[in-house]
Amino acid sequence: MTKILLTLHVLAAIVAVGPVTVAASMFPPAARRVPATDGAVAVGTVRLLHRICRVYAALGVSVPVLGLATALAMGVLGSGWLITSIALTATAAGILIAFVLPRQEELLEQLSAAQPAEHSATVQLAMFTGIFNLLWATVTVLMIVRPGSTTGA
């Protein structure tokens, strides 16, 4: 059962978190390009990137759920690397919910009203997106390296 849970956890992370990290990273430059390109098409692109972020963020809830089930099955719930990963995952989710998605929505509203995106707003969004991505990269490393692991991996 552990191998099945671990497989589902890894697949969920790839399928759910991967698209959010890529789409969120593409959003700020796409928003900056709107006035310089065909407005309707460019706004449609930005809208699509935001939708990808929202939908896959919702699917991403399965990643920690499956991760906790896997950790329970493996008996590693008290491990430092896992507790750190849980804290970083919660922080990443908080940044996505509190900073990335709302700022994307604000920029999308501006662009939909034919107002150019403020450069400072796209820079700030890019910063929060970068922090979100860095946290997920750190969690990925912790999941692979597992400091203090007794599995030898």
Side-chain angles (χ1 to χ4, degrees), residues 124-149:
Q124 191 177 53
L125 175 59
M127 176 192 67
F128 286 121
T129 300
I131 294 168
F132 169 79
N133 291 343
L134 183 61
L135 288 168
W136 271 114
T138 305
V139 169
T140 302
V141 169
L142 283 172
M143 289 290 123
I144 294 168
V145 175
R146 299 181 312 208
S149 172

Side-chain angles (χ1 to χ4, degrees), residues 38 73-74 111 118:
D38 180 16
M74 292 174 68
L111 296 172
E118 294 178 25

